[in-house]
Amino acid sequence: MTAANPPQEFKLIDIREVWPGEARDFTPWLADNLEALSEHLEIGEMELDSTEVEVPGGRRLDILAKDADGRNWAVENQYGEADHDHLTRALAYAVGLECRAVIVVAESHRDEFVAVADEWNRYSEAYGSNGIRLFLVAIEAGRIGDSRPGFRFRLVAGPNEWKSETATGQRPLSEADRLRREQRRTFWIELRTIMENKGNLGWGADPNVSVNVRTRGPFSFYFTTAQRSSRIGLYIDSGDKDDNDSLFQALEEEREAIHESLEDTLEWTNNPRYRANKVTWKPDEACGYRSPVNERQTGHQVLADAMYRFHNTLMPYVERLI
Protein backbone atom coordinates (compact mmCIF):
# COMPACT_ATOMS: atom_id res chain seq x y z
CA MET A 1 0.00 0.00 0.00
CA THR A 2 1.48 3.34 -1.04
CA ALA A 3 1.63 6.04 1.61
CA ALA A 4 -0.22 9.23 0.82
CA ASN A 5 1.95 12.16 -0.20
CA PRO A 6 2.27 14.71 2.62
CA PRO A 7 0.71 18.13 1.91
CA GLN A 8 3.17 20.58 0.38
CA GLU A 9 4.13 23.70 2.27
CA PHE A 10 3.08 27.19 1.28
CA LYS A 11 6.51 28.77 0.75
CA LEU A 12 6.58 32.54 1.09
CA ILE A 13 7.91 34.73 -1.71
CA ASP A 14 8.27 38.49 -2.18
CA ILE A 15 4.78 39.88 -2.79
CA ARG A 16 6.26 42.00 -5.59
CA GLU A 17 6.37 38.82 -7.67
CA VAL A 18 2.56 38.93 -7.60
CA TRP A 19 1.98 42.71 -7.42
CA PRO A 20 5.12 44.64 -8.51
CA GLY A 21 3.86 47.99 -7.25
CA GLU A 22 1.77 48.86 -4.21
CA ALA A 23 -0.22 51.80 -5.59
CA ARG A 24 -0.50 50.70 -9.20
CA ASP A 25 -0.96 46.95 -8.68
CA PHE A 26 -1.85 45.84 -5.16
CA THR A 27 -4.31 48.59 -4.18
CA PRO A 28 -6.50 48.21 -7.31
CA TRP A 29 -6.33 44.43 -7.01
CA LEU A 30 -7.44 44.63 -3.38
CA ALA A 31 -10.28 46.99 -4.30
CA ASP A 32 -11.48 44.50 -6.92
CA ASN A 33 -11.08 41.52 -4.56
CA LEU A 34 -12.52 42.63 -1.23
CA GLU A 35 -14.44 39.37 -1.09
CA ALA A 36 -11.12 37.53 -0.88
CA LEU A 37 -10.10 39.66 2.11
CA SER A 38 -13.44 39.22 3.87
CA GLU A 39 -13.46 35.47 3.27
CA HIS A 40 -9.90 34.95 4.52
CA LEU A 41 -10.72 36.90 7.68
CA GLU A 42 -14.28 35.53 7.88
CA ILE A 43 -15.64 38.94 8.76
CA GLY A 44 -18.75 38.79 6.60
CA GLU A 45 -19.58 40.36 3.29
CA MET A 46 -17.88 43.52 2.02
CA GLU A 47 -18.32 45.36 -1.24
CA LEU A 48 -16.37 48.22 -2.74
CA ASP A 49 -17.84 51.68 -2.32
CA SER A 50 -15.00 53.82 -3.71
CA THR A 51 -11.24 54.28 -3.83
CA GLU A 52 -8.99 57.26 -3.19
CA VAL A 53 -11.66 58.77 -0.94
CA GLU A 54 -11.04 62.38 0.05
CA VAL A 55 -11.07 62.97 3.81
CA PRO A 56 -10.59 66.14 5.88
CA GLY A 57 -7.01 67.41 5.88
CA GLY A 58 -6.37 66.80 2.19
CA ARG A 59 -5.63 63.09 2.63
CA ARG A 60 -7.10 60.14 0.75
CA LEU A 61 -8.28 56.78 2.05
CA ASP A 62 -7.14 53.87 -0.14
CA ILE A 63 -10.44 51.96 -0.09
CA LEU A 64 -13.89 52.55 1.37
CA ALA A 65 -16.07 49.42 1.57
CA LYS A 66 -19.54 48.62 2.86
CA ASP A 67 -20.68 45.54 4.76
CA ALA A 68 -23.96 43.66 4.40
CA ASP A 69 -25.63 46.16 6.76
CA GLY A 70 -24.51 49.12 4.65
CA ARG A 71 -21.95 50.35 7.19
CA ASN A 72 -18.59 51.80 6.14
CA TRP A 73 -15.26 50.00 6.48
CA ALA A 74 -11.97 51.83 5.91
CA VAL A 75 -9.10 49.89 4.32
CA GLU A 76 -5.51 51.19 4.20
CA ASN A 77 -2.67 49.18 2.70
CA GLN A 78 1.08 49.51 2.38
CA TYR A 79 4.11 47.44 1.47
CA GLY A 80 6.70 46.58 4.10
CA GLU A 81 6.05 47.03 7.80
CA ALA A 82 3.02 49.09 8.86
CA ASP A 83 4.11 52.49 10.17
CA HIS A 84 2.68 55.10 12.53
CA ASP A 85 1.49 57.28 9.67
CA HIS A 86 -0.71 54.62 8.06
CA LEU A 87 -2.11 53.42 11.38
CA THR A 88 -3.05 56.85 12.72
CA ARG A 89 -4.38 57.99 9.35
CA ALA A 90 -6.52 54.89 9.07
CA LEU A 91 -8.04 55.50 12.49
CA ALA A 92 -8.65 59.16 11.67
CA TYR A 93 -10.34 58.17 8.40
CA ALA A 94 -12.53 55.67 10.22
CA VAL A 95 -13.69 58.34 12.66
CA GLY A 96 -14.26 60.96 9.96
CA LEU A 97 -16.21 58.57 7.73
CA GLU A 98 -18.16 57.02 10.62
CA CYS A 99 -16.83 53.55 9.88
CA ARG A 100 -17.80 50.30 11.55
CA ALA A 101 -14.19 49.16 11.37
CA VAL A 102 -10.79 49.86 9.87
CA ILE A 103 -8.41 47.33 8.29
CA VAL A 104 -4.71 48.03 7.90
CA VAL A 105 -3.09 45.62 5.43
CA ALA A 106 0.72 45.38 5.35
CA GLU A 107 3.45 42.78 4.99
CA SER A 108 4.10 42.89 8.74
CA HIS A 109 3.03 44.72 11.90
CA ARG A 110 5.13 45.84 14.88
CA ASP A 111 4.54 44.31 18.28
CA GLU A 112 3.74 47.71 19.75
CA PHE A 113 1.05 48.27 17.11
CA VAL A 114 -0.47 44.90 17.90
CA ALA A 115 -0.62 45.95 21.55
CA VAL A 116 -2.25 49.25 20.55
CA ALA A 117 -4.80 47.40 18.41
CA ASP A 118 -5.65 45.03 21.26
CA GLU A 119 -6.16 47.93 23.67
CA TRP A 120 -8.14 49.91 21.11
CA ASN A 121 -10.46 46.97 20.48
CA ARG A 122 -10.92 46.37 24.22
CA TYR A 123 -12.30 49.89 24.59
CA SER A 124 -14.18 49.70 21.29
CA GLU A 125 -16.05 46.58 22.32
CA ALA A 126 -17.24 48.37 25.46
CA TYR A 127 -19.18 50.71 23.14
CA GLY A 128 -20.95 47.80 21.45
CA SER A 129 -21.99 48.36 17.85
CA ASN A 130 -20.97 52.04 18.09
CA GLY A 131 -17.30 51.22 18.63
CA ILE A 132 -14.84 51.24 15.71
CA ARG A 133 -13.05 47.89 15.41
CA LEU A 134 -9.41 47.73 14.31
CA PHE A 135 -7.92 44.88 12.25
CA LEU A 136 -4.22 44.47 11.49
CA VAL A 137 -3.80 42.09 8.57
CA ALA A 138 -0.67 40.63 6.98
CA ILE A 139 -0.64 39.96 3.24
CA GLU A 140 1.59 37.06 2.20
CA ALA A 141 2.47 35.66 -1.23
CA GLY A 142 3.83 32.20 -1.84
CA ARG A 143 3.86 28.99 -3.83
CA ILE A 144 2.94 25.40 -3.15
CA GLY A 145 5.51 23.29 -4.97
CA ASP A 146 5.83 24.48 -8.57
CA SER A 147 2.44 26.19 -8.62
CA ARG A 148 1.83 29.70 -9.81
CA PRO A 149 2.24 32.36 -7.11
CA GLY A 150 -0.71 32.67 -4.76
CA PHE A 151 -1.59 34.73 -1.71
CA ARG A 152 -3.16 34.60 1.71
CA PHE A 153 -4.25 37.08 4.35
CA ARG A 154 -3.37 36.51 8.01
CA LEU A 155 -5.12 38.21 10.92
CA VAL A 156 -2.49 39.70 13.25
CA ALA A 157 -4.78 41.64 15.57
CA GLY A 158 -8.51 42.11 15.74
CA PRO A 159 -11.53 42.30 18.02
CA ASN A 160 -12.02 39.43 20.42
CA GLU A 161 -15.15 38.26 18.63
CA TRP A 162 -12.95 37.46 15.60
CA LYS A 163 -9.40 37.07 16.93
CA SER A 164 -9.78 34.11 19.25
CA GLU A 165 -11.37 31.98 16.55
CA THR A 166 -9.61 33.04 13.35
CA ALA A 167 -6.13 32.78 14.90
CA THR A 168 -6.42 28.98 14.81
CA GLY A 169 -8.43 28.90 11.62
CA GLN A 170 -11.32 27.27 13.46
CA ARG A 171 -13.90 30.02 13.33
CA PRO A 172 -17.06 28.45 11.86
CA LEU A 173 -18.84 30.14 8.99
CA SER A 174 -21.88 32.12 9.99
CA GLU A 175 -25.22 31.41 8.38
CA ALA A 176 -24.85 34.64 6.40
CA ASP A 177 -21.42 33.56 5.11
CA ARG A 178 -22.68 30.11 4.13
CA LEU A 179 -25.68 31.62 2.38
CA ARG A 180 -23.48 34.08 0.48
CA ARG A 181 -21.13 31.34 -0.71
CA GLU A 182 -24.01 29.17 -1.85
CA GLN A 183 -25.66 32.10 -3.64
CA ARG A 184 -22.47 32.89 -5.54
CA ARG A 185 -21.93 29.23 -6.38
CA THR A 186 -25.47 28.97 -7.74
CA PHE A 187 -25.03 32.22 -9.68
CA TRP A 188 -21.91 30.98 -11.47
CA ILE A 189 -23.33 27.51 -12.20
CA GLU A 190 -26.44 29.01 -13.79
CA LEU A 191 -24.43 31.51 -15.83
CA ARG A 192 -21.84 28.93 -16.94
CA THR A 193 -24.58 26.62 -18.23
CA ILE A 194 -26.00 29.37 -20.43
CA MET A 195 -22.53 30.44 -21.58
CA GLU A 196 -21.54 26.91 -22.62
CA ASN A 197 -24.83 26.35 -24.43
CA LYS A 198 -24.16 29.47 -26.51
CA GLY A 199 -20.60 28.73 -27.55
CA ASN A 200 -17.06 28.01 -26.40
CA LEU A 201 -16.68 30.61 -23.65
CA GLY A 202 -16.71 29.20 -20.12
CA TRP A 203 -14.57 28.24 -17.16
CA GLY A 204 -13.62 25.19 -15.12
CA ALA A 205 -12.68 25.95 -11.53
CA ASP A 206 -15.23 27.42 -9.12
CA PRO A 207 -14.90 31.23 -9.24
CA ASN A 208 -15.41 33.65 -6.38
CA VAL A 209 -16.39 37.21 -7.30
CA SER A 210 -14.85 37.24 -10.79
CA VAL A 211 -13.90 34.78 -13.51
CA ASN A 212 -11.94 34.93 -16.76
CA VAL A 213 -13.67 33.47 -19.81
CA ARG A 214 -10.90 34.05 -22.38
CA THR A 215 -7.29 35.26 -22.17
CA ARG A 216 -5.33 36.27 -25.25
CA GLY A 217 -1.85 37.62 -24.56
CA PRO A 218 -2.17 40.60 -22.19
CA PHE A 219 -5.96 40.77 -22.70
CA SER A 220 -8.44 38.97 -20.43
CA PHE A 221 -12.22 38.92 -20.86
CA TYR A 222 -13.97 38.50 -17.53
CA PHE A 223 -17.16 38.67 -15.47
CA THR A 224 -17.37 40.17 -11.99
CA THR A 225 -20.45 40.00 -9.78
CA ALA A 226 -21.82 41.85 -6.75
CA GLN A 227 -25.03 41.46 -4.78
CA ARG A 228 -27.41 43.06 -7.27
CA SER A 229 -25.39 43.64 -10.41
CA SER A 230 -22.61 42.25 -12.57
CA ARG A 231 -20.11 43.63 -15.06
CA ILE A 232 -18.32 42.43 -18.14
CA GLY A 233 -14.77 43.57 -18.68
CA LEU A 234 -11.58 43.45 -20.69
CA TYR A 235 -8.46 43.63 -18.51
CA ILE A 236 -5.20 44.79 -20.11
CA ASP A 237 -1.96 43.84 -18.36
CA SER A 238 1.25 42.94 -20.15
CA GLY A 239 3.31 43.50 -17.01
CA ASP A 240 4.52 46.89 -18.21
CA LYS A 241 2.66 50.18 -17.63
CA ASP A 242 3.85 51.83 -20.85
CA ASP A 243 2.87 48.82 -22.94
CA ASN A 244 -0.54 48.69 -21.26
CA ASP A 245 -1.11 52.37 -21.99
CA SER A 246 -0.15 51.92 -25.65
CA LEU A 247 -2.50 48.95 -26.04
CA PHE A 248 -5.30 50.81 -24.28
CA GLN A 249 -4.86 53.92 -26.40
CA ALA A 250 -4.81 51.90 -29.63
CA LEU A 251 -8.02 50.15 -28.62
CA GLU A 252 -9.64 53.39 -27.49
CA GLU A 253 -9.08 54.87 -30.94
CA GLU A 254 -11.79 52.45 -32.07
CA ARG A 255 -14.17 53.49 -29.30
CA GLU A 256 -16.81 54.99 -31.60
CA ALA A 257 -16.94 51.91 -33.85
CA ILE A 258 -17.05 49.58 -30.83
CA HIS A 259 -19.89 51.50 -29.20
CA GLU A 260 -21.81 51.55 -32.47
CA SER A 261 -21.45 47.79 -32.85
CA LEU A 262 -22.54 47.12 -29.26
CA GLU A 263 -25.28 49.74 -29.39
CA ASP A 264 -24.17 50.80 -25.93
CA THR A 265 -21.34 52.70 -24.24
CA LEU A 266 -18.44 51.22 -22.30
CA GLU A 267 -16.40 52.59 -19.42
CA TRP A 268 -12.75 53.14 -20.39
CA THR A 269 -10.40 53.22 -17.39
CA ASN A 270 -6.75 54.24 -17.68
CA ASN A 271 -5.76 55.42 -14.21
CA PRO A 272 -2.16 56.74 -14.23
CA ARG A 273 -1.71 55.42 -10.68
CA TYR A 274 -2.27 51.80 -11.77
CA ARG A 275 -0.33 49.55 -14.11
CA ALA A 276 -3.22 47.68 -15.70
CA ASN A 277 -6.08 49.22 -17.69
CA LYS A 278 -9.59 47.98 -18.33
CA VAL A 279 -12.73 48.44 -20.37
CA THR A 280 -15.98 47.52 -18.64
CA TRP A 281 -19.66 47.21 -19.45
CA LYS A 282 -22.68 46.96 -17.16
CA PRO A 283 -25.54 45.80 -19.38
CA ASP A 284 -29.08 46.79 -18.50
CA GLU A 285 -30.90 44.04 -16.54
CA ALA A 286 -27.63 42.33 -15.58
CA CYS A 287 -28.28 40.45 -12.35
CA GLY A 288 -26.16 39.88 -9.24
CA TYR A 289 -25.76 36.81 -7.08
CA ARG A 290 -28.44 38.02 -4.67
CA SER A 291 -30.95 39.06 -7.30
CA PRO A 292 -34.33 37.29 -6.99
CA VAL A 293 -34.66 34.05 -8.94
CA ASN A 294 -37.02 35.56 -11.53
CA GLU A 295 -34.54 38.40 -12.17
CA ARG A 296 -31.60 35.98 -12.47
CA GLN A 297 -33.38 33.97 -15.16
CA THR A 298 -33.43 37.05 -17.37
CA GLY A 299 -30.22 38.53 -16.00
CA HIS A 300 -28.08 35.48 -16.77
CA GLN A 301 -29.27 35.44 -20.37
CA VAL A 302 -28.53 39.17 -20.62
CA LEU A 303 -25.02 38.62 -19.25
CA ALA A 304 -24.27 35.67 -21.54
CA ASP A 305 -25.55 37.47 -24.64
CA ALA A 306 -23.61 40.59 -23.68
CA MET A 307 -20.35 38.71 -23.10
CA TYR A 308 -20.48 37.03 -26.49
CA ARG A 309 -21.27 40.37 -28.15
CA PHE A 310 -18.51 42.09 -26.15
CA HIS A 311 -15.98 39.33 -26.88
CA ASN A 312 -16.82 38.98 -30.57
CA THR A 313 -16.78 42.75 -31.09
CA LEU A 314 -13.47 43.42 -29.34
CA MET A 315 -11.57 40.25 -30.27
CA PRO A 316 -10.67 41.39 -33.84
CA TYR A 317 -9.13 44.55 -32.39
CA VAL A 318 -7.36 42.50 -29.72
CA GLU A 319 -5.92 40.13 -32.33
CA ARG A 320 -4.50 43.04 -34.31
CA LEU A 321 -2.83 44.46 -31.21
CA ILE A 322 -1.11 41.26 -30.06
Side-chain angles (χ1 to χ4, degrees):
M1 182 175 179
T2 303
N5 292 327
Q8 292 183 292
E9 180 184 358
F10 183 80
K11 294 184 177 179
L12 298 179
I13 60 174
D14 190 331
I15 65 172
R16 291 155 189 81
E17 292 188 36
V18 182
W19 306 282
E22 176 195 340
R24 72 181 185 183
D25 301 308
F26 181 68
T27 300
W29 175 87
L30 184 59
D32 287 339
N33 291 273
L34 286 173
E35 290 282 357
L37 175 61
S38 64
E39 286 202 352
H40 274 71
L41 300 181
E42 297 180 353
I43 55 178
E45 186 171 309
M46 284 200 304
E47 289 191 345
L48 178 66
D49 181 276
S50 50
T51 59
E52 296 295 312
V53 182
E54 291 188 7
V55 294
R59 300 278 193 155
R60 292 178 181 270
L61 169 68
D62 287 334
I63 298 169
L64 180 65
K66 288 189 180 294
D67 62 21
D69 296 322
R71 299 194 63 180
N72 289 338
W73 286 57
V75 182
E76 273 288 293
N77 62 263
Q78 69 174 112
Y79 276 6
E81 187 176 65
D83 55 32
H84 289 86
D85 186 46
H86 279 77
L87 179 61
T88 54
R89 274 168 35 200
L91 291 172
Y93 297 159
V95 172
L97 295 170
E98 299 182 350
C99 291
R100 169 72 174 84
V102 57
I103 302 175
V104 179
V105 180
E107 292 180 71
S108 62
H109 296 269
R110 301 179 186 180
D111 290 342
E112 60 265 35
F113 290 173
V114 174
V116 167
D118 288 341
E119 190 70 5
W120 175 281
N121 285 319
R122 187 170 70 85
Y123 284 108
S124 174
E125 289 168 9
Y127 284 90
S129 62
N130 293 322
I132 300 174
R133 302 324 195 245
L134 173 58
F135 295 81
L136 303 184
V137 177
I139 175 64
E140 298 174 337
R143 288 189 178 90
I144 299 176
D146 296 327
S147 70
R148 296 177 60 186
F151 71 92
R152 67 186 181 192
F153 293 103
R154 179 170 51 84
L155 181 64
V156 177
N160 287 329
E161 60 260 45
W162 279 279
K163 181 177 60 178
S164 60
E165 295 167 327
T166 56
T168 60
Q170 299 300 313
R171 183 173 185 264
L173 288 177
S174 68
E175 284 299 322
D177 289 334
R178 279 194 289 269
L179 176 61
R180 172 167 49 85
R181 289 189 180 187
E182 184 57 32
Q183 287 173 327
R184 280 208 306 267
R185 180 175 177 274
T186 300
F187 173 91
W188 290 120
I189 289 174
E190 293 171 347
L191 179 56
R192 182 172 60 187
T193 299
I194 296 175
M195 288 289 293
E196 292 176 345
N197 287 339
K198 286 182 64 66
N200 61 357
L201 296 180
W203 54 91
D206 289 338
N208 187 359
V209 295
S210 64
V211 61
N212 287 349
V213 301
R214 174 65 57 82
T215 298
R216 187 75 171 87
F219 297 93
S220 296
F221 292 86
Y222 69 94
F223 285 113
T224 183
T225 186
Q227 292 185 53
R228 301 292 182 182
S229 64
S230 297
R231 287 182 180 273
I232 291 166
L234 178 66
Y235 197 72
I236 306 172
D237 189 7
S238 67
D240 181 85
K241 173 63 175 172
D242 291 337
D243 287 346
N244 293 340
D245 288 346
S246 295
L247 293 170
F248 179 89
Q249 290 162 9
L251 186 62
E252 193 176 24
E253 289 176 0
E254 308 294 340
R255 180 198 289 230
E256 186 174 341
I258 291 170
H259 287 182
E260 182 177 352
S261 178
L262 289 174
E263 299 180 346
D264 207 340
T265 56
L266 306 178
E267 183 176 343
W268 301 73
T269 306
N270 180 8
N271 190 323
R273 288 175 53 86
Y274 305 151
R275 184 183 73 192
N277 303 317
K278 58 186 178 182
V279 183
T280 57
W281 184 22
K282 186 178 179 181
D284 292 339
E285 298 185 70
C287 62
Y289 67 86
R290 280 193 172 175
S291 295
V293 173
N294 63 320
E295 292 182 16
R296 289 207 311 273
Q297 291 173 348
T298 300
H300 279 130
Q301 190 65 56
V302 167
L303 282 168
D305 291 345
M307 175 56 83
Y308 275 94
R309 287 171 56 200
F310 183 78
H311 172 271
N312 293 341
T313 299
L314 270 67
M315 182 55 81
Y317 300 104
V318 166
E319 293 287 358
R320 289 201 292 269
L321 292 173
I322 294 176

